[in-house]
Amino acid sequence: YKGFGVRVLDASVVEQLKLAWINYKTHFKVDSWVNFHSVCGFGHDERLLGSFLEKGANTPVIVLKCSQIEGYLLDELSMIPRMGYGCEGEVLLEGPSFFQVCKEPIRVGNFVVVELTYDAKKSKLMSYLPDCGSQKNTEEGAIIKMDVLEKERSEKERLEKERLEKERLEKERLEK
């Protein structure tokens, strides 16, 4: 499945979610990351969200919206639709999955709405499942993944060191 997805989280039970809901402007600031380290589910049919949203009338709720997720339709795997009980309306994403906040979050009543961009490349790079393409999920593949992540981290660290050194030199120049 590739398309719209939404995840509705009850923020009244888990302390971390309560804090995220209370401090939503800083917790979900633009360019920050929202990560699910295991398999997670997103709804793909907005018509099925009514029961979740009705509960939010008196409960703090975090709504994570993403215009383009990639995962597996549970309807294709589950027996529930085949038994005539309607569709699940859920998409399972491989773990881990990485999202970046793309807009300022808004609060409407008890709902904090956060718009996300799914980082398919990073998610697939760190996926637990074998890649159906050329890279195999082997020890060598895991080492390649770690090397790529280490290079990304090293590059960020190098850029940060350069920035700090420029600031230091500028400060010294101004002090003279």
Side-chain angles (χ1 to χ4, degrees), residues 7-170:
R7 184 169 175 107
V8 180
L9 302 169
D10 181 338
S12 69
V13 180
V14 178
E15 192 63 30
Q16 292 91 334
L17 289 177
K18 286 180 191 177
L19 293 172
W21 185 85
I22 291 167
N23 302 309
Y24 72 96
K25 287 185 179 184
T26 54
H27 188 85
F28 296 112
K29 68 181 183 230
V30 173
D31 292 332
S32 63
W33 290 94
V34 175
N35 306 326
F36 294 96
H37 298 285
S38 186
V39 173
C40 69
F42 273 69
H44 70 86
D45 188 343
E46 290 182 81
R47 295 171 297 168
L48 299 174
L49 294 174
S51 62
F52 291 109
L53 299 178
E54 286 171 12
K55 184 176 193 260
N58 298 310
T59 304
V61 172
I62 299 171
V63 179
L64 304 174
K65 291 175 45 176
C66 188
S67 62
Q68 192 67 22
I69 60 171
E70 295 180 24
Y72 302 93
L73 281 175
L74 196 53
D75 291 342
E76 295 174 1
L77 306 171
S78 174
M79 288 301 295
I80 292 173
R82 295 178 195 162
M83 295 170 62
Y85 294 111
C87 76
E88 297 257 350
E90 187 172 7
V91 177
L92 295 179
L93 280 68
E94 297 177 24
S97 51
F98 298 87
F99 298 84
Q100 197 163 24
V101 177
C102 59
K103 290 185 180 176
E104 290 291 328
I106 61 169
R107 187 161 158 192
V108 181
N110 287 333
F111 298 95
V112 169
V113 181
V114 184
E115 292 197 36
L116 305 172
T117 300
Y118 177 61
D119 189 331
K121 181 180 175 185
K122 189 172 187 175
S123 297
K124 286 185 173 125
L125 181 68
M126 295 301 296
S127 175
Y128 301 128
L129 298 179
D131 187 343
C132 295
S134 59
Q135 182 180 332
K136 302 260 188 283
N137 192 15
T138 61
E139 187 173 319
E140 180 182 337
I143 291 169
I144 291 168
K145 288 179 183 183
M146 294 305 289
D147 286 346
V148 168
L149 289 176
E150 181 62 30
K151 285 178 186 174
E152 284 180 7
R153 188 177 63 77
S154 295
E155 179 65 12
K156 285 180 184 176
E157 287 175 356
R158 183 188 66 76
L159 292 171
E160 180 64 12
K161 283 180 184 177
E162 284 179 11
R163 185 187 68 76
L164 291 171
E165 181 64 16
K166 284 179 185 178
E167 284 179 8
R168 186 187 67 76
L169 291 172
E170 180 64 19

